[in-house]
Amino acid sequence: MKNYFIIGKVNVGKSYLFNLFSRSHKTISNPKENTTIDIIKKNISSKNFDYNIYDTPGFYDIKDFLILQKKILELKVENICFIYLTSSFNSDDLKICKQIHKKKYKLLLFSFKKIDQQSYISNLFTKIFLNHSDNLSILKKYLSDNNKKNELDSIKSNKKIITIFGKENTGKSTLFNKITNLSLSKTSSELHTTRDSVNWEINYKNQTLEFIDTAGFIRSRSNRKNYDFEKLSLEQSEYFIKKSSLIILLLDANSESRLDLSLIGSLAKRNKPFLVLVNKIDLIHNKNLFQQNFLKYLSLNHNYYTSLNIYFISALHSSKSKIMHIISNQLNSKFFFKTSYLNKIIKSVNTELRKIQKNSKEFKIYFITAFTVNQKNYFKISCNFSKKNIKQHIKTYLSKILIRELKLKGINFTLIF
């Protein structure tokens, strides 16, 4: 598959051109310089054609371009073609195009405006899209005609979309770069470093997984939520969350707050599988005590303590294999239940439990929730007995009922009362 990178100087309209191709995943197009800071990818396909197109950061001169070129080559994609977008053509543009031609890459020249033919050398370009009444339509037709689908392209595996979501500065971009093995998403201690949602596909255990690094969540009461960049960033995040097969909520181990709880609650209501990764655990001195206190804090303060899957990691120091093992397990987990479904079976479970409660006070369940912590599965049972007064035969019989009702044969879990 061919990969077309839209390149050009700062503020020539690269994001605008990208968005004319990518109607769903739109990058932030703004008159301000340096709006795009990451490389953004979009697959353009139909039943007849298939190719990838990329939005890239703008450059001022050939020195800046060489930095961008190095970043593109680090992506290790094949069949690279460049679409050079310009509003005028000068000596700097000529130097850059000569550099690309020297490397024997295909180079297309495109402009929304009229360009003086004497300012560029036509032999540098595979195709030129200038000075027509509708350059865009001609470019689109050229790309569709030159990227016909073959039978192998049509046979695609079921792709899973995994969105990394969370507050600002929790380490989302660091995690994204670790997973993709690329420095694709810019990292910084400054707020709102990630503006556009950055995406990349990897193959893992014969499955295609597309990861999305989203902009940091901003409190609804914050005035920043209505700023141009921030508002568009949050709209992008919401778009990918809706499309996700799995949502990764990344929390900061150094910050336990009500906002964390509200984010967990809002994701729980969406009835989508989601994974809670508590990041920066490497900065915690007593890790075991921290994990115990964290779970206690969560269970005491959180009304949506349901179907949660919690792991403690370091995006900086945990191995990619460990992180991918966690994500893969969650994607294929059989231990994921909607709270509404668990509570639907309570009536029948209580009816069955009455059969073994002769000559004793009736044991009654009020709520059942499910969660996983560091790959260990738990059912939390809210009932009318204190933990110390529940007899073992009740626990054993309840476990058998849950295994049967939820088809959990061969899956280990623990009951917590």
Side-chain angles (χ1 to χ4, degrees):
M1 187 185 301
K2 290 181 182 177
N3 295 281
Y4 293 90
F5 289 83
I6 302 173
I7 62 171
K9 288 186 176 178
V10 170
N11 219 21
V12 294
K14 295 181 298 299
S15 295
Y16 177 70
L17 178 59
F18 177 88
N19 291 341
L20 292 173
F21 282 89
S22 174
R23 295 180 180 177
S24 54
H25 179 191
K26 289 191 174 183
T27 57
I28 298 172
S29 180
N30 193 288
K32 295 179 182 178
E33 294 185 352
N34 297 312
T35 300
T36 302
I37 59 173
D38 296 304
I39 296 174
I40 316 297
K41 173 185 174 184
K42 174 67 178 178
N43 177 249
I44 309 296
S45 64
S46 73
K47 63 179 181 180
N48 297 319
F49 57 82
D50 194 16
Y51 58 91
N52 294 322
I53 196 160
Y54 300 76
D55 189 11
T56 66
F59 45 80
Y60 289 98
D61 51 33
I62 191 166
K63 183 180 177 181
D64 290 340
F65 167 73
L66 292 175
I67 294 172
L68 173 62
Q69 180 181 256
K70 182 181 177 183
K71 193 172 182 179
I72 291 172
L73 296 179
E74 286 173 352
L75 301 180
K76 297 178 181 177
V77 296
E78 298 179 347
N79 297 322
I80 292 177
C81 307
F82 290 101
I83 301 174
Y84 197 89
L85 177 62
T86 184
S87 55
S88 62
F89 206 91
N90 58 31
S91 57
D92 282 337
D93 297 304
L94 185 59
K95 287 177 185 177
I96 293 165
C97 291
K98 282 183 175 180
Q99 170 69 18
I100 297 171
H101 185 264
K102 182 180 177 181
K103 296 288 185 180
K104 298 183 178 179
Y105 290 113
K106 287 189 175 180
L107 178 60
L108 312 178
L109 180 62
F110 181 89
S111 179
F112 290 106
K113 300 179 179 180
K114 289 187 176 182
I115 302 291
D116 184 0
Q117 293 183 357
Q118 294 180 349
S119 62
Y120 62 87
I121 301 173
S122 59
N123 290 341
L124 296 176
F125 305 98
T126 307
K127 189 77 175 176
I128 295 171
F129 303 89
L130 302 175
N131 304 330
H132 294 282
S133 58
D134 192 356
N135 291 329
L136 178 63
S137 295
I138 299 171
L139 174 61
K140 284 185 173 181
K141 186 176 186 308
Y142 173 84
L143 296 181
S144 60
D145 289 345
N146 284 272
N147 293 279
K148 299 293 184 183
K149 266 187 179 176
N150 57 44
E151 292 182 4
L152 292 176
D153 291 332
S154 300
I155 305 171
K156 286 192 173 181
S157 59
N158 183 23
K159 183 170 70 174
K160 303 286 187 181
I161 296 176
I162 302 164
T163 300
I164 303 172
F165 181 67
K167 293 189 299 184
E168 295 172 298
N169 283 356
T170 54
K172 297 182 298 298
S173 295
T174 301
L175 178 65
F176 177 82
N177 290 341
K178 172 65 69 72
I179 289 169
T180 59
N181 274 341
L182 298 167
S183 297
L184 192 61
S185 201
K186 186 177 180 180
T187 58
S188 170
S189 59
E190 295 180 7
L191 293 178
H192 209 68
T193 301
T194 301
R195 296 173 179 174
D196 291 298
S197 294
V198 184
N199 58 309
W200 200 256
E201 293 178 6
I202 68 167
N203 292 316
Y204 184 78
K205 292 186 176 180
N206 298 319
Q207 193 170 32
T208 301
L209 306 178
E210 182 176 7
F211 285 88
I212 316 291
D213 178 22
T214 63
F217 180 83
I218 302 171
R219 290 176 181 270
S220 58
R221 288 175 292 179
S222 171
N223 291 330
R224 291 176 54 236
K225 195 165 187 177
N226 296 315
Y227 293 174
D228 287 345
F229 288 155
E230 284 81 351
K231 185 177 180 180
L232 292 168
S233 295
L234 295 176
E235 287 176 0
Q236 281 189 23
S237 299
E238 180 62 27
Y239 168 79
F240 282 110
I241 285 173
K242 287 180 179 178
K243 289 174 67 69
S244 294
S245 308
L246 173 67
I247 303 166
I248 296 176
L249 175 60
L250 198 66
L251 304 183
D252 186 339
N254 291 300
S255 172
E256 296 175 5
S257 69
R258 291 183 179 179
L259 180 57
D260 292 337
L261 300 179
S262 67
L263 289 176
I264 293 172
S266 66
L267 292 178
K269 291 177 183 178
R270 291 173 181 266
N271 284 330
K272 275 183 175 286
F274 73 97
L275 179 63
V276 178
L277 297 183
V278 184
N279 188 28
K280 305 181 185 179
I281 192 67
D282 54 304
L283 302 179
I284 304 299
H285 178 64
N286 191 332
K287 295 176 178 55
N288 289 331
L289 180 61
F290 170 82
Q291 292 181 26
Q292 291 172 13
N293 289 338
F294 180 90
L295 294 172
K296 183 179 180 181
Y297 167 80
L298 194 62
S299 61
L300 289 175
N301 294 281
H302 183 39
N303 293 327
Y304 299 97
Y305 194 49
T306 60
S307 293
L308 288 184
N309 299 276
I310 307 167
Y311 298 83
F312 298 86
I313 67 158
S314 167
L316 202 58
H317 299 295
S318 295
S319 66
K320 176 183 174 179
S321 59
K322 176 185 176 180
I323 294 169
M324 287 306 302
H325 180 69
I326 292 170
I327 293 169
S328 178
N329 281 351
Q330 183 56 37
L331 279 172
N332 302 294
S333 175
K334 294 181 180 178
F335 199 84
F336 175 78
F337 312 97
K338 293 181 180 179
T339 310
S340 56
Y341 177 75
L342 288 176
N343 290 325
K344 275 182 182 178
I345 68 171
I346 288 176
K347 186 176 181 180
S348 60
V349 170
N350 282 333
T351 301
E352 287 207 46
L353 285 171
R354 290 194 197 105
K355 297 176 183 177
I356 62 168
Q357 297 179 84
K358 296 178 181 179
N359 302 320
S360 63
K361 182 182 176 183
E362 181 180 308
F363 175 82
K364 188 174 182 181
I365 297 173
Y366 299 132
F367 302 104
I368 304 176
T369 59
F371 61 98
T372 301
V373 180
N374 288 343
Q375 301 184 42
K376 293 182 180 179
N377 303 316
Y378 300 90
F379 282 112
K380 186 178 181 183
I381 312 295
S382 175
C383 61
N384 61 335
F385 273 54
S386 64
K387 181 180 178 180
K388 63 181 180 180
N389 293 327
I390 302 172
K391 296 180 180 179
Q392 184 58 45
H393 74 287
I394 295 285
K395 296 178 183 178
T396 302
Y397 194 56
L398 177 56
S399 294
K400 288 180 179 179
I401 295 172
L402 291 173
I403 290 170
R404 186 194 69 213
E405 290 294 320
L406 303 174
K407 299 177 182 179
L408 294 174
K409 189 174 181 179
I411 298 175
N412 294 323
F413 60 85
T414 300
L415 299 180
I416 298 178
F417 297 91

